[in-house]
Amino acid sequence: AQFLLESALKQSPGDAYCQYHLGRLFVEQGKYAEGARLLEGASREGRGKTKDVWATLARAYHRLGDTKK
């Protein structure tokens, strides 16, 4: 899944759907900073209105120790 999502993002760097799913995958793998970066992009590009983006982004920030975001 990771390879396919990364390939899709190379083709369409602003694709919020791919940013969200790859960001979520990174958070699940413990790559919180990478996940947060992609999830921030997803929140700006259109999927930011969904609770899933914000919940996963909050989890990444929490794991990074950033409780202010």
Side-chain angles (χ1 to χ4, degrees), residues 6-16 18-19 37-38 41-42 45:
E6 289 172 338
S7 296
L9 274 177
K10 285 180 185 175
Q11 296 291 323
S12 300
D15 187 316
C18 290
Q19 288 175 330
R37 180 182 57 79
L38 287 164
E45 296 295 331

Side-chain angles (χ1 to χ4, degrees), residues 2 8 10-12 14 22 25 29 32 44 52 55 59 64:
Q2 182 174 337
K10 285 180 185 175
Q11 296 291 323
S12 300
L22 186 57
L25 180 64
Q29 293 174 346
Y32 304 115
R44 286 189 299 273
D52 297 330
R59 191 167 122 210
L64 289 168

Side-chain angles (χ1 to χ4, degrees), residues 17-54:
Y17 180 85
C18 290
Q19 288 175 330
Y20 166 69
H21 286 285
L22 186 57
R24 182 175 170 217
L25 180 64
F26 282 154
V27 169
E28 290 174 2
Q29 293 174 346
K31 299 175 184 175
Y32 304 115
E34 293 167 300
R37 180 182 57 79
L38 287 164
L39 292 164
E40 288 169 356
S43 72
R44 286 189 299 273
E45 296 295 331
R47 288 192 55 95
K49 297 192 183 347
T50 68
K51 64 182 177 193
D52 297 330
V53 172
W54 293 110

